[in-house]
Amino acid sequence: MKSVASAPGKVILFGEHFVVYGIKAILCSIDKRITVTSQIIDEKKIKIKSDIGEIETDVNSLSITDGSMDLMKPFLYIVKKTLEKSKKNVGIEIKIESEIPAGIGLGSSSACCVAVTASVTGLFEKLSNEEILKIAIEAERTIFENTSGADCSVCTFGGLMEYDMKNGFKKINSKAIFELVIANSKQAHFTRKIVENVRRFRENNEDLFASLCEQESIIIQNAMTALEKNDLVTLGLLMSKNQDLLERIDISTEKIDLLIKKAKKTSFGAKITGAGGGGCIIALVDKYNLDQTLSNLKAHSECFSAKIDYNGLLYT
């Protein structure tokens, strides 16, 4: 028996970093997926094959001694929790296939946790999306202790969502029609370090940071209206304004500034998505300016286009 599930990656349209200080963020799932195939095997082992590596461990140990494979910890957590609940003494083989580049802020780890949870638990029972989400967030916290759960949420339910630290996530009922060009700066970034740098910036510039938070809140309110109206011109301008604020808190780089400049020549607007200090930018486009924006950016980076994924978690 095989159990196959897939989940989409995501981008942050608005609100990164400021969300930590009480401002809303707007997230969007994208039509690049991680697909997970699980099956029960005769050997009492857990075998995981993925782009980031392969591991094999006994069912009774379910631990990783090689520190370089820490990214596999969430998947072992999911298997352990599932086998404990099912009370089955079996082995499981897991194959992870990804359309999402890892480590560049597009939600690959969250999509993996969601898809692995759905695939592995699907060998024994069909859980609701809410139950899968809960396990996926627990699993992700084995490596990202302070994760908010927002990424896993949008990877599970798909579409557009708003998120804040107090109220959690809420679906945005919009059928906005747009595409994104995603360009990879190829600069490694360390999220924890960047978050710490922003915290220090806030401590050293309290009044300025408070003003930036107010500006971000207004941008997001206007973005919600633009999404409802599918007003891409306004939405793009707001993205570029958001980028200006991100530059003020010093999370941009020369390479990102270059990509933003090139993207804005033909797109409706562009900004960092995620932690910054490297990683990716997103440019808002439609069918009329998609090709030219891709051409502009391909001369300077690896890039691809993505649409909104409204499906979220899927079983095959």
Side-chain angles (χ1 to χ4, degrees):
M1 174 186 173
K2 290 186 177 180
S3 173
V4 184
S6 68
K10 62 82 197 176
V11 295
I12 301 176
L13 294 179
F14 297 92
E16 48 268 273
H17 290 291
F18 296 104
V19 70
V20 177
Y21 302 98
I23 306 302
K24 283 183 181 179
I26 299 177
L27 294 86
C28 171
S29 61
I30 58 174
D31 62 347
K32 305 299 178 186
R33 293 187 156 264
I34 286 180
T35 300
V36 178
T37 303
S38 302
Q39 61 182 339
I40 294 172
I41 57 177
D42 293 333
E43 297 176 89
K44 300 299 187 291
K45 292 183 177 295
I46 305 303
K47 299 179 180 181
I48 303 176
K49 299 179 180 180
S50 75
D51 293 340
I52 63 173
E54 299 183 10
I55 64 165
E56 181 177 315
T57 184
D58 291 335
V59 168
N60 293 327
S61 63
L62 287 181
S63 62
I64 299 175
T65 55
D66 180 358
S68 65
M69 298 302 290
D70 278 354
L71 291 178
M72 293 290 189
K73 285 181 179 178
F75 314 141
L76 292 181
Y77 174 89
I78 292 163
V79 172
K80 181 177 181 180
K81 191 175 183 71
T82 301
L83 290 178
E84 286 176 350
K85 183 178 180 182
S86 69
K87 298 181 180 179
K88 300 288 187 181
N89 186 21
V90 297
I92 296 178
E93 183 176 78
I94 300 169
K95 183 179 179 182
I96 301 171
E97 300 171 285
S98 179
E99 298 175 334
I100 309 167
I104 59 173
L106 299 182
S108 61
S109 65
S110 298
C112 252
C113 287
V114 171
V116 170
T117 301
S119 176
V120 171
T121 59
L123 291 169
F124 306 98
E125 61 179 331
K126 182 70 178 292
L127 299 181
S128 68
N129 281 3
E130 288 77 13
E131 291 171 310
I132 287 167
L133 174 59
K134 181 181 177 182
I135 297 170
I137 293 172
E138 291 173 358
E140 192 169 45
R141 283 180 177 152
T142 63
I143 52 173
F144 301 119
E145 183 179 351
N146 296 317
T147 184
S148 67
D151 286 6
C152 283
S153 298
V154 76
C155 292
T156 301
F157 293 101
L160 294 151
M161 61 168 266
E162 58 180 281
Y163 176 85
D164 68 72
M165 298 288 282
K166 181 180 179 181
N167 300 305
F169 79 93
K170 179 183 177 183
K171 287 273 285 188
I172 297 173
N173 294 318
S174 167
K175 289 294 183 180
I177 302 171
F178 61 79
E179 295 192 43
L180 297 167
V181 173
I182 301 174
N184 185 2
S185 71
K186 287 290 197 174
Q187 293 176 312
H189 65 158
F190 303 97
T191 300
R192 289 174 184 166
K193 181 179 179 181
I194 296 164
V195 169
E196 176 61 22
N197 288 344
V198 172
R199 184 188 66 78
R200 284 199 297 267
F201 178 92
R202 174 176 176 264
E203 289 176 351
N204 295 330
N205 304 274
E206 290 187 5
D207 291 342
L208 172 59
F209 195 85
S211 173
L212 296 177
C213 283
E214 289 178 9
Q215 293 175 58
E216 181 72 357
S217 184
I218 293 169
I219 286 171
I220 289 171
Q221 289 176 29
N222 292 333
M224 294 286 285
T225 301
L227 283 168
E228 289 173 7
K229 297 179 178 179
N230 197 35
D231 182 352
L232 301 191
V233 173
T234 299
L235 194 64
L237 289 172
L238 292 168
M239 287 174 63
S240 295
K241 286 184 177 180
N242 196 157
Q243 175 62 22
D244 291 341
L245 301 189
L246 295 175
E247 290 175 9
R248 295 286 299 276
I249 60 175
D250 199 27
I251 67 164
S252 194
T253 67
E254 287 187 12
K255 181 62 179 290
I256 287 174
D257 290 345
L258 172 65
L259 295 177
I260 294 286
K261 180 180 178 181
K262 297 298 180 182
K264 287 170 69 174
K265 287 183 176 180
T266 51
S267 69
F268 296 109
K271 63 179 284 293
I272 290 167
T273 182
C280 292
I281 70 148
I282 53 174
L284 185 71
V285 296
D286 62 13
K287 62 182 180 180
Y288 299 106
N289 55 5
L290 169 61
D291 290 341
Q292 186 59 57
T293 303
L294 278 169
S295 178
N296 286 347
L297 288 169
K298 279 181 178 178
H300 304 280
S301 71
E302 291 182 359
C303 60
F304 59 91
S305 63
K307 296 179 180 179
I308 306 173
D309 173 279
Y310 283 107
N311 295 310
L313 175 64
L314 291 175
Y315 294 90
T316 304

